[in-house]
Amino acid sequence: MIDNEPHKTKAYIAGVNLNDPNFDYYMTELANLTEANNMEVVGQSRQNTEQIVAGTYFGLGKINEIKSMAHGLKAKVLVLNDELSPVQIRNLEKLTKLRVIDRTELILEIFANRAKTKQAKLQVQLARLQYELPRLHPSENSLDQQRGNGGSTGGGFANRGAGESKLEMNRRTIDKQISAIKKELKKVANQEDIKSKRRNKKQIPKVALVGYTNAGKSTTMNGLLKEFTDESSDKEVFVKNMLFATLDTSVRRIDLNKNFSFILSDTVGFISKLPHNLVESFKATLQEAKDADLLINVVDASDPNMIQMIRTTQSVLREIGIKNIPMITAYNKADKTDRNYPQIEGNDILYSATDEKSIKLLAKLITKRVFANYKKFNLLLPLSDGKTLAYLHEHAQVMKESYENDGVHAEVRLAPENQERFKKYLV
Ligand SMILES: Nc1nc2c(ncn2[C@@H]2O[C@H](COP(=O)(O)OP(=O)(O)OP(=O)(O)O)[C@@H](O)[C@H]2O)c(=O)[nH]1
Ligand SMILES: [Mg+2]
């Protein structure tokens, strides 16, 4: 039999447990992340302890145990559950004779492999450089290797002097790269900003899908597109059973019927302990969620770790500064549970993103929440009052409009904050 599967690198995963009740969940995530990075998890270890060992992360006894287990299982890589210091990584590599990757680097690698758009690529690159900068070492760094003069690890004074100036040089190079990327990102963000301002002008409510990675956000977006737009195929977003399938934000207009439209955005998913630099770099991508009138927190209801996943999403939302935006919790993948669906429970919904009935009910719930306070009015506005007409078009949903001799007749829906302003034009 011919094996067409490319050979996957075998990885051993391990972590220090400082009495954290969520430790098992973090290790499950770490295993999923490792596999998402195209490696095979062959075994795992943990050390329950009160304190991390400063120089080596684990105690020596544990390191020897991991080394023999991992080599016995033919692992080439050791993946660790926390972000480690450069010294800890170097020491562990020496002691275990394995390549050591910490959780942050693992996530950065996955993001780097997944990034497709210019903005996502730049954002990941920025986060990587920021991760690398404090990790530069006089004798082991990428520029040395690129120039082919690596290996000068002798620690003599003369060498150290040369190394330090080289280190300075490398720092400067990375600093320059960081500023260049930031500049470039600003340009992209400005373009996005203009696009989003144009959308805001139309005063269509904005709804954002957020949530844990692989919960079904993109599938939900495609479900709504398929149900409520004619030519959905070219607007469909990418769906795949893997972590971080989506890294950028897609924005689509959904027309529930000719009077009810909203803007829907789908964005990058979350996971615990997302590297801070990465969250920082992805702020522009997450802007759409920040500006939303309503968030739909998509949750995989069939996952045994559902509760922790909801908490993870809440804490990432807090980290990016999203608070006080109304939210629907959308419990997805109900087809993989034994519960009846679709059903609405208060503000929330149990549904399946691949089921038509579910999508219709979700749309109903969104409408109820988004347009709850809108009211319908018939107005007659003077033809000469261009300013008011312009304001109306920017801030109301104009359902019908005709230009007559006595003025502009319009049937509109107004948000509560605009109702007073148009009182005198009521017919
Ligand atoms: N059985 C079942 N599978 C679903 C459902 N919704 C989504 N999936 C599957 O779950 C996987 C992830 O779906 P996506 O829509 O890509 O998830 P996402 O939340 O956008 O994930 P990221 O972009 O990676 O954060 C895919 O394999 C989907 O086919 C559902 O209702 N039922
Ligand atoms: Mg997605």
Side-chain angles (χ1 to χ4, degrees):
M1 207 175 83
I2 301 166
D3 185 8
N4 281 330
E5 269 275 299
H7 212 68
K8 283 191 174 172
T9 306
K10 291 184 174 16
Y12 196 86
I13 66 173
V16 169
N17 180 12
L18 302 173
N19 214 357
D20 185 339
N22 288 318
F23 185 77
D24 284 334
Y25 164 63
Y26 290 144
M27 287 299 282
T28 307
E29 279 191 336
L30 190 69
N32 292 336
L33 285 166
T34 306
E35 297 201 337
N37 203 20
N38 239 347
M39 296 187 277
E40 180 193 349
V41 177
V42 290
Q44 57 171 289
S45 286
R46 68 182 58 194
Q47 180 164 40
N48 297 318
T49 177
E50 299 292 311
Q51 223 180 345
I52 281 171
V53 178
T56 52
Y57 184 61
F58 297 109
L60 266 185
K62 188 50 95 179
I63 295 173
N64 285 329
E65 180 192 309
I66 289 172
K67 182 182 177 187
S68 81
M69 295 281 286
H71 283 276
L73 291 161
K74 301 208 159 43
K76 296 278 177 287
V77 178
L78 174 62
V79 181
L80 301 171
N81 190 33
D82 292 292
E83 182 171 316
L84 270 66
S85 73
V87 174
Q88 288 171 331
I89 292 182
R90 265 200 304 278
N91 287 339
L92 279 173
E93 288 196 328
K94 266 187 213 138
L95 291 166
T96 60
K97 307 266 181 285
L98 294 164
R99 182 184 166 214
V100 173
I101 304 179
D102 67 5
R103 191 177 173 110
T104 301
E105 196 182 342
L106 181 65
I107 296 177
L108 287 172
E109 272 185 20
I110 298 171
F111 270 64
N113 289 332
R114 301 268 199 269
K116 287 193 203 85
T117 62
K118 184 177 174 190
Q119 190 180 23
K121 281 182 186 162
L122 287 169
Q123 289 174 140
V124 178
Q125 227 177 328
L126 178 62
R128 277 197 122 167
L129 288 171
Q130 283 169 335
Y131 171 79
E132 274 169 26
L133 192 58
R135 279 151 210 276
L136 282 182
H137 187 258
S139 55
E140 305 167 32
N141 56 63
S142 53
L143 282 192
D144 272 1
Q145 278 153 21
Q146 273 167 24
R147 295 207 179 103
N149 59 353
S152 57
T153 43
F157 276 126
N159 269 346
R160 195 192 292 166
E164 271 174 0
S165 60
K166 221 181 285 165
L167 175 67
E168 268 314 305
M169 205 170 77
N170 293 341
R171 278 206 182 117
R172 264 206 312 277
T173 312
I174 290 196
D175 270 335
K176 264 191 202 150
Q177 281 175 318
I178 287 179
S179 335
I181 292 176
K182 278 187 173 163
K183 229 189 217 163
E184 192 82 3
L185 270 173
K186 228 182 201 159
K187 255 196 256 162
V188 183
N190 279 343
Q191 286 159 6
E192 289 298 314
D193 214 33
I194 291 167
K195 272 194 231 162
S196 124
K197 283 221 176 84
R198 224 176 276 146
R199 280 195 294 271
N200 280 342
K201 263 188 131 179
K202 291 254 163 65
Q203 196 64 21
I204 301 176
K206 295 171 82 174
V207 179
L209 294 157
V210 294
Y212 200 85
T213 178
N214 215 41
K217 299 177 291 299
S218 300
T219 310
T220 301
M221 179 155 202
N222 286 343
L224 286 163
L225 280 169
K226 197 167 152 223
E227 192 62 42
F228 297 106
T229 43
D230 306 331
E231 5 84 74
S232 70
S233 57
D234 61 323
K235 289 189 186 157
E236 260 184 31
V237 292
F238 179 62
V239 165
K240 199 168 173 191
N241 188 18
M242 66 181 189
L243 303 186
F244 306 117
T246 306
L247 281 197
D248 36 38
T249 301
S250 302
V251 183
R252 304 282 188 272
R253 183 189 162 119
I254 308 274
D255 298 307
L256 293 182
N257 59 48
K258 72 174 187 305
N259 300 333
F260 286 131
S261 304
F262 61 88
I263 299 290
L264 184 67
S265 66
D266 172 34
T267 192
V268 58
F270 305 149
I271 203 156
S272 314
K273 306 194 205 179
L274 262 182
H276 182 71
N277 287 336
L278 205 54
V279 174
E280 217 21 70
S281 313
F282 272 75
K283 277 207 166 138
T285 294
L286 292 161
Q287 190 60 37
E288 210 63 40
K290 266 184 118 165
D291 294 341
D293 301 297
L294 177 71
L295 297 178
I296 303 177
N297 178 9
V298 181
V299 174
D300 180 350
S302 72
D303 196 294
N305 290 313
M306 180 183 84
I307 299 293
Q308 277 119 323
M309 290 170 164
I310 295 175
R311 282 201 199 116
T312 298
T313 298
Q314 284 165 342
S315 87
V316 180
L317 287 176
R318 262 198 309 276
E319 193 178 345
I320 53 181
I322 291 184
K323 46 181 187 249
N324 302 329
I325 299 181
M327 186 190 276
I328 292 174
T329 305
Y331 296 92
N332 186 27
K333 306 196 188 180
D335 55 307
K336 290 168 82 181
T337 71
D338 52 14
R339 300 181 57 195
N340 278 336
Y341 70 94
Q343 66 181 26
I344 287 180
E345 276 172 20
N347 281 334
D348 302 329
I349 181 170
L350 178 71
Y351 78 116
S352 165
T354 49
D355 163 54
E356 205 181 331
K357 232 172 112 189
S358 291
I359 290 295
K360 282 186 174 148
L361 194 65
L362 175 65
K364 217 169 147 183
L365 184 61
I366 295 173
T367 315
K368 199 175 126 204
R369 289 292 294 276
V370 162
F371 299 107
N373 302 321
Y374 276 58
K375 274 200 190 127
K376 203 164 101 177
F377 298 94
N378 287 307
L379 308 178
L380 174 61
L381 299 129
L383 275 166
S384 57
D385 193 350
K387 226 170 151 185
T388 306
L389 280 169
Y391 184 91
L392 186 75
H393 279 265
E394 280 175 19
H395 296 91
Q397 283 191 295
V398 180
M399 292 175 293
K400 274 191 209 152
E401 190 181 29
S402 66
Y403 285 71
E404 310 285 342
N405 287 338
D406 57 344
V408 183
H409 292 255
E411 188 181 319
V412 300
R413 276 179 201 275
L414 296 173
E417 64 268 26
N418 285 318
Q419 289 168 12
E420 183 62 33
R421 187 182 186 116
F422 288 97
K423 230 174 164 178
K424 60 179 172 197
Y425 304 113
L426 282 177
V427 288

